């Protein structure tokens, strides 16, 4: 596709339920990133992948959060046993390792997660 | 600890009134400094990457500059459509090959006609 897409755009769930958020990066982009953004704040890093390998997961807040990218394209961020404090905008970004613009990360529209 | 601080938090300008936004950073080693624009309800939109002190980049009414401690986003003769939140982020050499971005909290710019 032309840009990074994320689904669902909005997710409302009850406390204790598991949720899976999906990210489809720009076609051909090698690197994929997950961020979380609170209202009035900048995005906060969660984790990132090069191809299917998870390179850095230092930003995942606890072991209820996990991410995978099994075929090096689409990625899923899973939150188990959701809590109200998990409510936020979850953003995905992708970048291409090749060329002069390898560092530029392009963001998707985000998934707004609300935990009741 | 790597850190990014943006000022002011909010800025209101009249159309045509030039100004600058500031991004101060503390980082063990700078791989790159990034500016993004974010409109309400949308994801950040990439504007510029700066890699070394003294570097400048321009795009329409925007010019980004970089020193060893801070970056400025200069807005010349702004128009109402320049209204948005402007985010600054850094990539650090700390931690090896990580490409994560460390963001500031942004400057909310409002340009009145």
């Amino acid at each position: 596709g032309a840009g990074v897409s994320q689904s669902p755009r909005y997710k409302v769930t009850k406390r204790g339920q598991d949720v899976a958020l999906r990210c489809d990066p720009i076609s051909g982009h090698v690197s994929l990133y997950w961020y979380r953004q609170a209202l009035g704040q900048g995005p906060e890093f969660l984790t990132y992948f090069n191809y299917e390998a998870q390179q850095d997961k230092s930003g995942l807040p606890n072991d209820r959060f996990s991410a995978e990218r099994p075929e090096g394209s689409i990625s899923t961020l899973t939150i188990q046993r959701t809590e109200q404090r998990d409510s936020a905008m979850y953003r995905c970004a992708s970048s291409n390792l090749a060329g002069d613009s390898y560092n530029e990360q392009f963001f998707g529209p985000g998934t707004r997660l609300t935990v009741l | 600890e790597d850190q990014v601080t943006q000022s002011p938090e909010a800025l209101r300008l009249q159309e045509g009134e030039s100004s600058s936004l500031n991004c101060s950073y503390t980082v063990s080693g700078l791989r790159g400094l990034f500016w993004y624009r974010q409109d309400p309800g949308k994801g950040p939109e990439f504007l510029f990457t700066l890699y070394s002190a003294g570097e400048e980049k321009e795009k329409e009414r925007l010019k980004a500059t970089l020193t060893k401690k801070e970056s400025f986003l200069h807005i010349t003769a702004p128009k109402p459509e320049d209204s948005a939140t402007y985010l600054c982020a850094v990539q650090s050499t700390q931690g090896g090959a990580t490409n994560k971005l460390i963001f500031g909290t942004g400057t909310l710019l409002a340009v009145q006609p």
Side-chain angles (χ1 to χ4, degrees), chain A residues 3-43:
Chain A
V4 177
S5 60
Q6 293 185 244
S7 62
R9 294 291 311 276
Y10 302 90
K11 177 69 177 179
V12 179
T13 191
K14 292 183 178 179
R15 187 177 53 189
Q17 296 294 307
D18 299 349
V19 296
L21 312 180
R22 172 185 164 128
C23 172
D24 197 344
I26 292 172
S27 179
H29 274 195
V30 168
S31 301
L32 184 148
Y33 311 80
W34 284 100
Y35 292 85
R36 180 168 66 175
Q37 187 172 18
L39 198 62
Q41 302 293 315

Side-chain angles (χ1 to χ4, degrees), chain B residues 29-82:
Chain B
L30 183 68
R31 293 183 67 204
L33 184 139
F34 302 79
W35 282 98
Y36 283 83
R37 169 191 171 130
Q38 186 169 27
D39 293 298
K42 296 193 174 180
E45 175 189 347
F46 172 79
L47 293 174
F48 304 109
T49 309
L50 302 167
Y51 292 104
S52 57
E55 190 175 359
E56 298 184 354
K57 288 193 177 174
E58 288 188 66
K59 180 180 179 180
E60 296 182 354
R61 294 177 293 281
L62 301 177
K63 183 170 80 171
T65 62
L66 181 65
T67 73
K68 289 186 178 180
K69 294 184 178 180
E70 57 191 350
S71 175
F72 291 94
L73 184 65
H74 306 277
I75 303 175
T76 302
K79 298 182 178 181
E81 54 261 43
D82 295 322

Side-chain angles (χ1 to χ4, degrees), chain A residues 65-108:
Chain A
F65 287 73
S66 63
E68 62 175 8
R69 194 187 185 198
E71 297 179 359
S73 179
I74 293 169
S75 177
T76 303
L77 177 70
T78 301
I79 309 173
Q80 295 179 313
R81 305 180 304 281
T82 52
E83 301 177 4
Q84 287 185 330
R85 60 177 172 160
D86 299 334
S87 296
M89 178 70 81
Y90 288 83
R91 298 203 186 272
C92 176
S94 70
S95 68
N96 190 354
L97 284 181
D100 293 337
S101 61
Y102 75 96
N103 252 334
E104 298 166 7
Q105 295 182 23
F106 297 89
F107 282 81

